[in-house]
Amino acid sequence: MSFSRRQTLAIMAGSGLSVMLGGRMALATPTEELIANFTGGAEITGEGLTLTAPEIAENGNTVPVEVDAPGAEAIILLATGNPNPDVGVFHFGPLAGAQMASTRIRLAGTQEVVAIAKMSDGSFARAAQEVKVTIGGCGG
Amino acid sequence: MAENVTPRVRVPKEAAAGEVITIKTLISHPMESGQRKDKDGNLIPRSIINRFTCTFNGKTVIDVAMEPAISTNPYFEFQAKVPESGTFTFTWIDDDGSTYEDTKEIAVA
């Protein structure tokens, strides 16, 4: 059985569709650099940091997040999938009633939000959560 | 200086000595991230508030370093210990150097 011209074209078009969907490589480097700057290269072994973020955010322009780490001196918040992963650093003073803060952040797309807390004993704790974003919060 | 920047802060009027209270702050500010482009494809320059501090009678409660990923009209909720009657001072520092300030009195019963 020989293929007609039409069938041949259909087969060629089909094979063209099998485009390699280049897996979006996790560009961990900027995030890792920011973490290293914050920790000074120390290992993150501690516990006691809670990161609260929605599993699904309909609007990436304003995603509520909360960090809570009793006994922390500072907490850095990172959005690993943003053009600039750093979101902010919370420093707690002597009159902080609890080492917690909540705010609203921008997420460019579905990604992992990471928080690292610097504890008063010098150790570091990490928490992360994946947030699915329906509409990204970058660009017009 | 960004236009129509109005800070809004919610602090209880009274507290017991040593009580931990919740403070909510909101400030209207576009927080232009520097990532967006206008109609002609030109990058809109970054213009954000890059730091927020809250102090009580001169002692720090919280000090936040802010990046463009903080949403428009930055909102913060946090907790403060009130050892005595006094004044909370809230300061926001803009990229252009201007500062926005608000104060709230609290009385310890």
Side-chain angles (χ1 to χ4, degrees):
Chain A
M1 178 187 154
S2 66
F3 293 114
S4 71
R5 181 174 172 274
R6 186 166 291 174
Q7 281 171 322
T8 313
L9 282 175
I11 290 163
M12 283 169 68
S15 64
L17 278 177
S18 64
V19 173
M20 285 273 288
L21 285 171
R24 200 167 54 114
M25 296 288 285
L27 293 170
T29 327
T31 308
E32 278 169 3
E33 264 177 33
L34 286 164
I35 293 175
N37 279 346
F38 183 71
T39 61
E43 283 206 31
I44 299 163
T45 50
E47 283 182 2
L49 170 63
T50 316
L51 170 68
T52 314
E55 272 179 38
I56 296 173
E58 282 192 6
N59 184 352
N61 268 316
T62 169
V63 182
V65 291
E66 183 179 319
V67 286
D68 186 359
E73 277 178 6
I75 301 175
I76 188 169
L77 194 58
L78 301 162
T80 55
N82 276 7
N84 295 315
D86 39 353
V87 175
V89 186
F90 302 90
H91 299 275
F92 298 101
L95 283 183
Q99 283 68 37
M100 64 78 68
S102 63
T103 185
R104 297 173 189 149
I105 66 171
R106 291 180 176 134
L107 297 177
T110 298
Q111 59 179 280
E112 192 177 37
V113 177
V114 176
I116 311 267
K118 183 186 186 187
M119 298 301 185
S120 47
D121 62 2
S123 68
F124 292 91
R126 182 181 191 275
Q129 190 178 332
E130 179 88 7
V131 180
K132 287 195 169 67
V133 176
T134 319
I135 303 166
C138 281
Chain B
M1 176 163 169
E3 285 169 19
N4 300 324
V5 176
T6 0
R8 267 166 290 171
V9 178
R10 183 176 293 175
V11 178
K13 285 198 168 59
E14 287 181 0
E19 191 184 339
V20 172
I21 58 160
T22 300
I23 296 177
K24 294 178 182 181
T25 71
L26 186 70
I27 186 164
S28 53
H29 192 283
M31 293 291 281
E32 193 56 65
S33 68
Q35 301 281 343
R36 296 199 309 153
K37 287 178 179 159
D38 64 15
K39 283 192 296 250
D40 308 320
N42 303 315
L43 215 56
I44 304 171
R46 165 182 144 153
S47 168
I48 67 163
I49 293 174
N50 57 41
R51 191 169 169 215
F52 164 69
T53 63
C54 170
T55 60
F56 180 73
N57 292 349
K59 285 187 198 137
T60 305
V61 175
I62 196 167
D63 184 337
V64 186
M66 296 159 68
E67 300 294 338
I70 302 280
S71 297
T72 305
N73 303 339
Y75 164 85
F76 289 108
E77 182 181 331
F78 53 93
Q79 299 192 321
K81 205 184 284 171
V82 189
E84 71 241 346
S85 297
T87 312
F88 281 105
T89 307
F90 304 90
T91 314
W92 292 261
I93 298 166
D94 199 301
D95 266 351
D96 63 14
S98 48
T99 60
Y100 319 107
E101 208 174 270
D102 198 1
T103 57
K104 288 279 181 216
E105 305 281 332
I106 188 163
V108 166

